[in-house]
Each structure stands twice: as structure tokens, then as C-alpha cells.
Amino acid sequence: MDPRRTARTVSDPKVRQVGFFTPAPPERSISDPPRFQDPIQPPSPSPTQVNDHSPSGNSLSPVMIPPAHHHSDNFLRTALQVTSPTKAFSYSAKTVTIPPENEDVASSFSPGRKVVSAKSPSSFPGVKASSVPASELTTVSVVNLPPGISEKAGGASVEVQNDRPVSAKTLKEKTSKAERRALQEAQRAAKAAAKAEGTKASSAASKVVTSANTKPSKAAKSSSQKNDGSQVAASEKKGGDRAPEKDRKKDAPHPRMQYDDKSRVEKAKKRAVVKQTEARNRVELFRHLPQYEHGTQLPDLETKFFELDPMHPAVYKVGLQYLSGDIRGGNARCIAMFQAFKEAIKDYSTPPEKTLIRDLTARISSYVSFLIECRPLSISMGNAIKFLKNRIAKLPLALSESEAKSTLMLDIDRFINEKIILSEKVIVKHAVTKIQDGDVLLTYGASSVVEMILLHAHELGKHFHVVVVDSRPKLEGQLLLRRLVRKGLSCTYTHVNAVSCIMQDVTRVFLGASSVLSNGTVYSRVGTACVAMVAHAFRVPVLVCCEAYKFHERVQLDSICFNELGNPDAISKVQGREEINYLDGLVNQENLQLLNLIYDATPSDYVSMIITDYGMIPPTSVPVIVREYRRDHLWS
Amino acid sequence: MPDTQALVNDFLNKLKKRKIEGSQATAKQTAELLRSVISQTRMPYTNQAAALIHSVKAVGERLIAANPVELAVGNVVRRVLHIVREEDLSLTTAAMAGLNLSAESDDEDDTDRDNHPALSAAAIAAASRSTLRPPSLQTLLEDVPDSAAVPHTSSSGGDSEGKSKSADKSSRSRKLKHDVIEAVNELIQDISTCHELIAEQAVEHIHQNEVILTLGSSRTVLEFLCAAKEKKRSFRVFVAEGAPRYQGHLLAKELVTRGLQTTLITDSAVFAMISRVNMVIVGAHAVMANGGVIAPVGLNMVALAAQKHAVPFVVLAGSHKLCPLYPHHPEVLLNELRSPSELLDFGEFSDCLDFGSGIGAPLLHVVNPTFDYVPPKLVSLFITDTGGHNPSYMYRLIADYYSADDLVLERRTTSGN
């Protein structure tokens, strides 16, 4: 989190151009908004964005880290359209502050949402510059301020302060300065609030925000208040919540459920809708992961379809589809989940005596835990859920129920379009530039993005050969193979063991990913690591295609600490080869364990390049994307 | 010798149709066949060794041509040829020694030879092996004093092959054949007991609570692991199933029935699991002279993963798997493609396979190789029936078993006998 270092990474175009980069950078120049965002993006970004963005000088860089405000601006716009009170509020906020700058946008927006942009340290020098004029604004005292606003604004400013590239200050200085700036922000916000019916809305919003913060934030609360220094904390009791240290802490992903912890597992079981029987003969190394008897719960759940009251049928259906394996693949699962949530939100009505924001969040949480029972969430789904919960939490209280619902549904649609469908298109556009005539491309398993890339390259008339490598037990490669051959691509099919025999003819390896972790580790279908390793040994470039919404700030070094266990019976029986039945009578033997790992972690040294919607980046730049992304979308 | 011919043809057929599984079985059957070939060979009065070599070579060539990828066949043929040469040599030397004893009594090692008359032939044989010179009569005559000077250095070869009885000139004609057959019998014995010798070393390599990974199935590996288990070592084994033959299932079953803690994983999970593995123990199809291994498909991947995590990669190989050739482009030239039906269901993909028919070349290819080549730098240790060796030492070990004349088995008038 050293701001200086990352800032340099962003601004130095030379670093980016090592290895692969797109030969057509002009379309990504500053003044021209990235084309892929066009459908969502306002046609002409405001000049402030350009100003903010220019110091990072990525006009040459193939990596497009879009200006942080495009989206917030965009959000603002939608907010303007949908919600009248916010409109007044934010608009006024904008008019108050003279230079429409980075933090102004953030602060103007703060009542409606948690200030997450502040959480991720900014790498843009623009932020630094903006802080100077802001400090000149301090005149009015903050006595009458609504507490919610002051806290929030304070939080934002403190954070910005921290993020300055020159952060060689003691904590004490920081807090005092932060306090000063908190006042300014608060004052500014107060003016705005006075114009709108701000008091009510903002206080409610702050309440919402606190309610949305789950356990880990609570844990962080006490310590953060301690660190924060008494001066600040005195004026903002609740405001300890907003403090930067707390935000920092929340940055770290909270620990996952460990299934070897007996008491917690028992607790979780009591709440569970799906009653799964635990598998016997579990592998010692993987006791911390859940493993259930496969297929035992499905019929049971199907009968319960009409009995389960709290569960929305659409969610229920998706859960069953996850369970049976009808929906698989990160994007497909994510889209299906969001569609189901959309249905659920559509049919949702706030019970009397409850607020929509709280109740809906709780409702979504219960859906999510049901889905987890069906199949552990993928990391991309986790990110998507975070987004949705965040959107719910940020709903202005003044919205009527129907308005809130339609806002959320719009948000969901936008997420699907923007983060998944458009991302894929952009990735395809980038990746196709890496395919030349006469190439032999190897892919492993079935990745939807890689398939799109191959098909698109074929449509462009490029002549290349595809090697589809597959492995047991899912044999997803066969499905991909079939689709590719149907489209007229010439393909070679083989299994993962033979990959080192075929690798010497291969010129590029294209791999999909379930997630990219912030140490550059690619978390993907089991076997991906093998393929990448062999490609590395044969000096074949490995290109990983992954949408940015699948990036995650977790780190992982091996495939054991976190993984998913599939159905062990799939191991003992070989599909289509009935003669291999050596293990038929032995499945219940105590000595025999069957391990069906679903994912593995590919070390970043095997990955030459990651193709994402922000461009083509080396694996070392993943944390930058993670950070920018969170900032960008007011994530978490 | 019509019955030999029939036997040979039968075996050729089996080889061609790949009916014989495993290099051990192949090696054993080859040796047995060659034994009967030798016993059926009519011996001329002069130059008997040449006649034997000729007939063995004639059969051997055909066998090798029948399945050039099964290197064990070639290895055994070469071993038998080597045996013939050595027996001939030892007989000759013995005869010569009898002649020379009186003449060269002032030789410094004379006393040695007097004390161990039975060893001398073996010693000469060993010496000639070690100098890697063709043991022709010419070299022999030149080198008698030198080679006789190293009787005690002969270690393994001496007692197994060089069973020289007292040289009896009159019975020499029967003697050569008899000796050769006896030596071939010993070779067969060696081949069938090589696991035991290898398994004996298990306790030296496997310690308590180890995690061992293996891929596919190999009898040698099974015996090795079980030998360690019998010595009360408790350890767990990860077995990768070894697609597309899934022999790993078989190995897992055997291990489980013998009470070993076994976990069966898919081949794709090898990389994920290797970080928790202490040692990789695998069998081989053949070991080349440069220390490279021709192994069941998938092992190169395992070896690379083991190297990444600095896990020792141990290859178990009986001496019949040691091949005196240096591989060139072994991934292709020493490989064999199996039926695509093991990977794809023809019925299911028949429509895809038909797509290309109009254009010419089919759109869908299926590659299903049998073997992988593991380069010597990825192998940590070879364990053979003579002990553990470095990959860089293999060429020397191999030189002990073969004579340089036989490396190229083509019908050509070779030097030597």
C-alpha cells in the first residue's frame, strides 16, 4: 500500500510496454474515453476528469485504468435521474465547491453512499493537487452539522490525506490535519445539506452504512477508534466508523469459514436450509473445506420447492442448478445469481415496521447463504454480491419502495452488462491482436472468454489451429471442442497428461480464470497450473483472460488453503470407460480417499500476461487493478 | 528349427499388436524366446560364437522392428548378444590362460590367477567390459596381462554371467551353448526378481510420515511401497490416476488392499498437491543412456512440478529397462499414439469428425500419446537393482551390460567375432 510505489507504476509507461502491449494505443488516449465504455459512458467526459487523469500519463500505456470518476460520475448521473432528493443535494454540493475536483465529487456524493473511493489510496497526483484549494475553504464552524455528514466527509478527507504520495508524516500530524479537513468537508457538506432536506437523508444514510457493516467492521471499530486519536473521536462518536484505519482494516479480506472448526460448523448447520450429509473418508489436508455426499440433497430440496417460504423461487431454482451442476463457469453462475436476485427484488415488498434497506440486505444475505450451501461461492460471485449489497446500502432513504427496487434492478442490469458482457467483449478485442496466422493456440478446459476469442479470431479470417486440453472428471473441453469444430475451427484434442508432448508445437496458451488474486496468482480450474507450468518450461507465452470483476484482493500461495471439493465419486468412476472399475468395492474402505479438487492456483511466474477489460497487464500489476477497481466502483 | 520359427512369429505378432503389457513381461518373454533360439541353433565346428550371434541378431532385428518403441526388446537382445560374446571370451581366455600360464609365469599377477583360477575369465570379461572395447580375439591377445590385473574389481558381472568352468578344450563346442543358455537363464531370473532387489532398498528412502506421489501404475513402485510398509513405516500415498489408461486406479486398489493410506487424485491436481508431497516415486518405461526417462505419459508434467517445489523425483527401473541408446527427439521418435477412442467417444463425435471430409483434412485431431520423455535434469535419483544412481552416471552403468558392438543392431558384417 505504499502510495509512492504504486503511483510510479501507474504513471510509468515504460513498465507497461515490456512484453505484450496493444499496437493501437491512440484510441485509449486521455481525451478519448475508452471505447468499450461508450454505451455506458457519457459521450463527453467532463474536463475535470481529463485534468485529473492526465498526470498519470497513460496515453501510451496499453493498460487502461479509467479515470476513477467516470463511473462515479456515471453513478451520479443515474442518481440524478432516479432520485430527486439526491439530485438536489449533490447538485448543490457541486455548485458550492469552486474547483470541481476529485474529492468534491466524492464528498458531494457521500451522503448517498459510503466513501469507498477514499478507502483505496489514490495513485493519481490529481488528488494531491486538489487538497490544496480545499484547505483554503475553511471558514465556518461545524457546530450545527448533522453528525452523519461530518463524519463521512471527515473520513474521506483523512483518507485522501493518507494517500498523498508524500506520506512521511507522523500519525499525530495526520489526525490533526485530518481533523481540520474534516471540518472543511463537513462545512461544505453542511451547506449542501441545508439546501436539500439533507439532514434527514444523511443521518439515515449513515445509519444505513453502519448497519451494512457486518461483523469484521465491528471488530475493527474499537481498535480504529483507539488509533484515531481522541480529538477526532470526541466530535464524532459514531464517526470512528469512518476513520481511515478502520477502512484499512476492512481492506483485508476477512477470514473464510474453516470447516475443521467444529463449533462453527455446528452453528452453521443449524441455520442451513440444505441438509447435506458429510462425505466419509475425507482427505486430511482438506478438512478445512466442506465436502458433502453428492446427490443426496437434490431430491430432498426439489420436494421442498414449495415449502420454503423465505426463499424466493428464482433463487431456489438457481441454487438447485448450481447443485446439480447445470450452471457452471464463473460468468454464467454470476449472471444466473443476479438474474435470480433481480426477480427476488422485483417481488420484494418491505414488511411493515421494517426499512427496505435493512430488510433487503438481510434477505439477500439469506439467499446468499442458501446459495453457498448449494455450492460454495466463486470469488467473482462474492465480488458481485458485495457490489449489490453496497448498492442497497447506498440507497437514499427517501426513495419510495418501487423506486428503490427499480434502481437496484437497474444496477444489477448494469453490472451484468458492463462488468461481464462488455468486459468479455473488450477482452476479446485485446486478445485477438495476439493471434496471428499460423498460430497454434492451446487452451485448457472450457473458458467462455477464450471461446469467444477463438471464435472471433476465426471470424476475422485468421488461420490458426486450436489445441484443446482436457481433463477428468468434468471433461468440459469436449463441449468446447464440439462448439469450436461446429464453427469450422481446426482443433486437436488431448488430455492434460499429454500436454508436454504437444506443447512444443504450440505458440500461445490462452487460459481462462475463475479469479485473479492480488499477488498475481491465477485461481482457476484444476489443471490450469499444470498447463501453465509446462508452457513455461517450453517457453510458450501464457495469456490469462479474466474480467476485472473477478479480481480479488486475497492472496494465496498454494491450492490447499482455499479450494473447493467436488464430488469424490466422480473420481472413482471414469465416464465412458466402464471397464475401469477397479475401485468399485473399495469406496468405503477407510484407507482409500478420493480427492476431487475443483480449482488450483497458478503461480504468477508462469503467467506472461493477464488480459482484462483494462487492457493487458503483467501479473505484477494485478493489485493496481484491484485497487483502482474498488476505488472506481466504490466497492466494498 | 521350424518350432522356433513359429515361436518367433507368434511373439512378433504379439509385439506388433501390442498384446504384451509392460516392459518387464516383454523383456522376460524376449529372453525366453532368445534362449530357445540359441538352443535350436546348430553349432558349426568353427567360430561358434559368431553363429550364435548371427542367429540371435537375425531374430532380434525382427523383434525390434516389430515394436521399436518397446525398448526392452532391444535391451534384452543386446544383453543376450553381450552374454554370448562374454561366454565366448571367457572360454577363449580360459583356454589361453591354460596355454599361457607356463610361458608367462613371471607376470606379477600370476599368483592371483593361481589362487583364483575360476575368477580369471570373469575378470577378463569384466575388464573387457570396462574398457568398452569389442572383446575380439585380437584385443584379447594384446590385453591379457592388463585385463588379468583387475580380477578383484569385477563386481556384478563376474558371478552372474561369467560362470566359467574349468576350460576343457575337448568339450568346448557344447560348452559355449550350455554356458550361454545358463547365463540367459540367469538374465531371465534377474528380470523377474528385479523388483525385489529394488524393493529391498525402500526403507532407505522412505521414512515415517512421508507423503509420496506416484502416477499411473507400476509393479516396481507397488512392491517398493509395500516393502516400506512391511518395515512398519507409515506414510501416505497420493496416486494420480494416469489418464487415459487410469492405471492409477489399479495401483490405488492394490495399495488399499495392502493397508496403505491412499488418496486418489486426478492428473490435473498434481500441481496442486505437489507442494505437500515429500517424494515422487515413479516407474519408467525405459531409461536412456543420457539419464533421460521414457515414462508413462504425464510424468514430465509431474517432474516439472516436482522440480518447481524441489521435491525429489525418484525413478525405479530394473536393469532390463536400461537402454544403451541416446535419445533424439524422443517425444516423437520414441513415442506411440494410442487410440483416440480412449479420449473421445467416437459415437458422440462422429458428426464432428465428418465435418472435414469435404475440405480434405479433418478438422478434429485427437492426440493420445503413450509416453513422455523426462529429461535427466528433472530426475533426482534412479534406483535400480544395483542401487541408487545419479542420472549422469547412467551411461556408465549401462555400459556394463552391453557391448559396444551391439548398439546398432543391423544386419551387417560387424567387427569382432
Side-chain angles (χ1 to χ4, degrees), chain B residues 124-181:
Chain B
I124 291 165
S128 69
R129 267 206 306 276
S130 64
T131 50
L132 266 181
R133 251 173 294 183
S136 67
L137 201 61
Q138 189 62 32
T139 39
L140 219 121
L141 281 171
E142 286 166 7
D143 289 352
V144 164
D146 286 356
S147 50
V150 284
H152 294 298
T153 56
S154 74
S155 52
S156 60
D159 41 18
S160 64
E161 290 135 56
K163 280 262 165 76
S164 78
K165 311 285 180 278
S166 59
D168 189 356
K169 275 177 246 172
S170 59
S171 63
R172 236 189 101 189
S173 55
R174 266 174 291 127
K175 191 105 191 67
L176 177 65
K177 205 165 169 182
H178 177 257
D179 283 358
V180 167
I181 287 175

Side-chain angles (χ1 to χ4, degrees), chain A residues 25 57 100 131 157 175 177 193 227 307 318 358 407 409 558 565 591:
Chain A
S131 66
S157 59
T175 41
K177 206 165 184 186
N227 294 344
E307 300 165 22
V318 168
R358 273 192 197 193
T407 314
M409 280 153 67
D558 60 15
L565 299 179
N591 284 329

Side-chain angles (χ1 to χ4, degrees), chain B residues 180-346:
Chain B
V180 167
I181 287 175
E182 203 141 282
V184 172
N185 277 337
E186 265 177 51
L187 174 65
I188 294 170
Q189 190 67 25
D190 275 359
I191 291 171
S192 45
T193 59
C194 71
H195 324 96
E196 290 158 30
L197 287 171
I198 294 173
E200 270 173 22
Q201 306 167 50
V203 272
E204 293 172 31
H205 298 281
I206 298 176
H207 61 76
Q208 201 72 15
N209 285 334
E210 262 200 305
V211 181
I212 288 165
L213 178 96
T214 183
L215 182 136
S217 178
S218 153
R219 171 134 180 249
T220 324
V221 172
L222 175 68
E223 300 282 337
F224 193 80
L225 295 175
C226 291
K229 166 81 182 167
E230 276 156 25
K231 295 272 163 57
K232 306 288 175 228
R233 295 280 152 87
S234 78
F235 52 94
R236 60 183 65 241
V237 185
F238 286 123
V239 181
E241 54 187 8
R245 299 183 64 205
Y246 304 108
Q247 295 277 305
H249 291 241
L250 198 61
L251 181 69
K253 180 187 173 184
E254 290 287 331
L255 290 174
V256 166
T257 48
R258 301 206 195 182
L260 269 159
Q261 193 68 244
T262 311
T263 306
L264 185 66
I265 61 174
T266 53
D267 303 318
S268 43
V270 162
F271 189 89
M273 300 310 299
I274 198 100
S275 59
R276 298 296 183 275
V277 167
N278 298 118
M279 200 187 331
V280 179
I281 298 179
V282 293
H285 173 69
V287 178
M288 307 307 288
N290 66 345
V293 184
I294 308 288
V297 70
L299 275 184
N300 190 35
M301 188 178 82
V302 178
L304 282 169
Q307 191 199 35
K308 160 84 179 167
H309 290 270
V311 176
F313 186 83
V314 178
V315 177
L316 309 182
S319 58
H320 59 277
K321 294 187 178 177
L322 306 181
C323 179
L325 304 177
Y326 286 82
H328 169 66
H329 205 9
E331 296 90 344
V332 177
L333 296 180
L334 288 175
N335 215 334
E336 193 167 47
L337 295 176
R338 294 171 66 89
S339 159
S341 65
E342 289 180 330
L343 297 184
L344 281 184
D345 189 5
F346 280 149

Side-chain angles (χ1 to χ4, degrees), chain A residues 471-472 478 482 486 491-494 497 500 533 558 560 571 577 580 582 586 591 593 595 605-606, chain B residues 241 243-244 246 249-250 253 261-264 267-268 276 300-301 308 343 348 351 363 365 367 372:
Chain A
S471 89
R472 280 236 311 139
Q478 291 192 359
R482 177 173 280 279
R486 284 252 166 85
C491 295
T492 297
Y493 178 79
T494 189
N497 274 345
S500 52
M533 174 186 67
D558 60 15
I560 292 168
I571 299 286
R577 299 277 298 276
I580 293 153
Y582 310 114
L586 293 168
N591 284 329
Q593 291 137 358
L595 179 64
D605 14 337
Y606 295 151
Chain B
E241 54 187 8
Y246 304 108
H249 291 241
L250 198 61
K253 180 187 173 184
Q261 193 68 244
T262 311
T263 306
L264 185 66
D267 303 318
S268 43
R276 298 296 183 275
N300 190 35
M301 188 178 82
K308 160 84 179 167
L343 297 184
E348 213 176 297
D351 50 335
L363 281 175
H365 302 260
V367 178
D372 236 354

Side-chain angles (χ1 to χ4, degrees), chain A residues 213-409:
Chain A
N213 289 338
T214 38
K215 270 180 240 163
S217 69
K218 260 182 225 160
K221 196 172 176 178
S222 58
S223 57
S224 69
Q225 274 176 340
K226 238 182 283 162
N227 294 344
D228 213 16
S230 48
Q231 316 127 305
V232 184
S235 69
E236 29 183 59
K237 271 269 165 61
K238 275 183 260 167
D241 239 355
R242 290 286 94 56
E245 278 79 7
K246 188 228 106 196
D247 282 346
R248 277 283 154 68
K249 267 179 197 145
K250 253 184 76 184
D251 264 3
H254 50 89
R256 285 175 270 230
M257 168 101 168
Q258 300 291 315
Y259 283 78
D260 47 355
D261 183 346
K262 285 265 164 50
S263 57
R264 289 199 58 190
V265 171
E266 286 306 314
K267 263 187 225 162
K269 264 192 186 164
K270 273 176 206 156
R271 279 176 284 146
V273 180
V274 190
K275 293 280 179 266
Q276 309 214 56
T277 20
E278 294 243 341
R280 321 126 300 188
N281 289 348
R282 300 178 51 189
V283 182
E284 191 72 37
L285 272 172
F286 289 96
R287 292 213 185 267
H288 60 288
L289 299 176
Q291 178 156 37
Y292 301 114
E293 290 274 335
H294 197 74
T296 49
Q297 65 282 49
L298 192 56
D300 177 46
L301 273 180
E302 272 165 355
T303 55
K304 276 203 236 161
F305 191 87
F306 298 104
E307 300 165 22
L308 284 169
D309 216 20
M311 212 52 63
H312 190 275
V315 178
Y316 202 79
K317 187 177 147 204
V318 168
L320 290 185
Q321 281 170 327
Y322 286 169
L323 194 58
S324 61
D326 288 345
I327 298 182
R328 53 190 184 189
N331 289 343
R333 276 169 76 193
C334 202
I335 291 174
M337 177 184 74
F338 259 7
Q339 300 287 13
F341 283 174
K342 212 175 117 186
E343 289 285 303
I345 290 173
K346 200 167 129 196
D347 299 344
Y348 172 82
S349 61
T350 319
E353 309 280 314
K354 280 186 179 168
T355 55
L356 175 134
I357 291 169
R358 273 192 197 193
D359 189 58
L360 191 57
T361 310
R363 191 64 72 84
I364 294 285
S365 299
S366 76
Y367 294 161
V368 169
S369 58
F370 167 75
L371 293 181
I372 291 176
E373 284 159 24
C374 292
R375 185 179 164 188
L377 292 186
S378 68
I379 291 178
S380 56
M381 286 161 75
N383 280 344
I385 290 165
K386 235 190 215 171
F387 166 83
L388 180 63
K389 283 192 177 172
N390 203 39
R391 298 304 299 164
I392 296 175
K394 299 278 171 53
L395 281 178
L397 251 207
L399 280 189
S400 71
E401 190 183 299
S402 62
E403 277 173 329
K405 276 161 62 179
S406 61
T407 314
L408 284 177
M409 280 153 67

Side-chain angles (χ1 to χ4, degrees), chain B residues 369-391:
Chain B
T370 318
F371 302 118
D372 236 354
Y373 174 70
V374 183
K377 62 173 183 186
L378 297 180
V379 180
S380 315
L381 188 70
F382 284 102
I383 299 179
T384 67
D385 31 11
T386 58
H389 304 285
N390 239 16

Side-chain angles (χ1 to χ4, degrees), chain A residues 502-521:
Chain A
I502 202 130
M503 193 56 86
Q504 41 206 338
D505 306 326
V506 174
T507 55
R508 299 244 189 297
V509 176
F510 278 94
L511 296 172
S514 166
S515 177
V516 176
L517 309 179
S518 81
N519 60 343
T521 301

